Amino acid sequence: FASVLATTGMVVIIGYQIYDVARAEYGMSIPAASFQLGLLGFAQFVPLFLLTPVAGVVADRFDRRYVAAAAMVLDVAVAGTLGFVTITQWRSLPVLFGLAATHGAVRVFVSPALSAIAPNIVPAALIPRAIALNSIAFQSGAVIGPAAAGFLFASERSMPYWVSAVLMSVAVVAVLAIRSLP
């Protein structure tokens, strides 16, 4: 839940910042700045497209807890960098696109690693409940994350990134607290 909350919030704020920077810093028209949002989607899709087969193999060959934790630690670094770039006004389209693509690449490794953990740690009789609870956590995070990030952004522009870094750190600790998988 913490990871999804952080991730979905970051994605929305990165999109807004790209639009804002395109308009304010680069003087782009509304259609041109909107096109940048399409490019953002593409920049996050390319790592997904290229790395999904690799991420599945990595999740199957290595301890899934460590794969997920390592990816989330990298995402903590991305969130921290975005917070720093925002607070120091070093925002630019290349920087934001690069960090967004890195965020997309890191997230490719989290999903297969985390989704494969539950069946290994939950008794067979409880798997349907665990899957339902996981789905509820994901959907709740996907709805609450962007709204919370928007409120945080309204109070302080870098705050969504700092909160995302903390939430992902909590997720790292939670994943590493899972006992060794069979």
Side-chain angles (χ1 to χ4, degrees), residues 10 12 21 25 39 41 45-46 79 111 119 136 140 150 154 167:
M10 276 178 49
V12 167
V21 167
E25 313 283 324
L39 292 177
F45 171 74
V46 169
S111 183
I136 289 169
S140 298
L167 286 169

Side-chain angles (χ1 to χ4, degrees), residues 114-138:
L114 286 182
S115 64
I117 288 176
N120 291 332
I121 62 173
V122 176
L126 295 178
I127 287 178
R129 284 185 181 176
I131 291 171
L133 186 60
N134 185 48
S135 179
I136 289 169
F138 179 84

